[in-house]
Each structure stands twice: as structure tokens, then as C-alpha cells.
Amino acid sequence: MRKTYLLHIEGKNRDRLLDAARHDIHRYLRRERRRALPEGARFWDFDCRFGSTQEDAHPVQVDEITGLIDEVARSGAAQFYVEIMAKPGEGMPPKKAPSSVLQQELDDAQSTGGPDGD
């Protein structure tokens, strides 16, 4: 998916255009993740680029896109470009970092020898 989203269209509300762009991007990601994986792949990974134009686009993580769209909305820019290319992931999918509470519980369990404190 390579697309430039215009945010100033005569007769259209800017907020609705931003919502439509977010929805379009998330719909694309959901559709790509539902596709059958090729042999040997464990998950779908995405190469993403984001910028005001295609020439200015720089690589970003897929979970940063929504925040970048919010920044564009705050800055009042007239457009933004997003490129998302799906590719099969070979290794383990990236894990979310555990919250500080879970991390503290893990640290406590390791320092005491187990969850029981034995």
C-alpha cells in the first residue's frame, strides 16, 4: 500500500478525512494479517515509511503510524504519505515490552527463586 492522503478537500471535514485515513490503514493491516502465510513463515511483518511526501518519507514501525498521523493533524499539514509493505516474518514475532508491574513481578520471582519465594 502506497498512498498520499489529502487533508484539505473542498466540502470535506478535516477530522473525518483523518479518521478515514486511519481506518483505511488499519483495514489494510487487518486484511494483510489474515492472508495465508507462506511455508516457513511465522507471522506477517511490515516495512513502513511515513512522511509529508513520498520523497520525504522515512522508515517507521507499524505501531508508530497512528501517532505520526496525530502529529500531522496537530501541525495542520495538507497531506501525508504512508507506505506499508507486508513481508513474511521468519523468526519470532516482536513481543510487547511487559508493563512495569509485570516486570517487577518477574524480577521478584527471579530474585527469590520462584513465585512461592522458595
Side-chain angles (χ1 to χ4, degrees):
M1 168 184 178
R2 293 179 182 139
K3 190 166 182 181
T4 299
Y5 290 95
L6 299 176
L7 302 176
H8 292 295
I9 298 176
E10 187 68 33
K12 303 267 183 166
N13 185 322
R14 179 180 171 83
D15 293 335
R16 299 298 73 78
L17 291 171
L18 284 164
D19 288 342
R22 281 190 202 97
H23 179 73
D24 190 33
I25 291 166
H26 290 292
R27 185 178 59 205
Y28 175 79
L29 291 170
R30 284 191 307 267
R31 185 173 55 234
E32 289 298 309
R33 286 181 177 133
R34 279 194 312 261
R35 286 188 354 197
L37 286 167
E39 189 67 32
R42 299 182 60 127
F43 64 99
W44 284 110
D45 196 10
F46 298 95
D47 288 332
C48 305
R49 293 172 20 112
F50 189 93
S52 57
T53 64
Q54 185 172 359
E55 294 79 29
D56 296 340
H58 58 280
V60 297
Q61 297 294 318
V62 70
D63 50 348
E64 296 174 349
I65 291 176
T66 302
L68 291 169
I69 292 172
D70 293 339
E71 287 180 27
V72 167
R74 282 192 295 273
S75 71
Q79 68 180 19
F80 67 91
Y81 171 82
V82 65
E83 178 179 318
I84 303 172
M85 304 305 279
K87 66 178 182 179
E90 301 295 328
M92 295 297 293
K95 292 185 177 182
K96 299 281 184 185
S99 68
S100 59
V101 173
L102 290 176
Q103 186 63 43
Q104 183 63 36
E105 289 175 5
L106 289 172
D107 292 342
D108 291 344
Q110 288 175 352
S111 65
T112 60
D116 303 355
D118 295 331

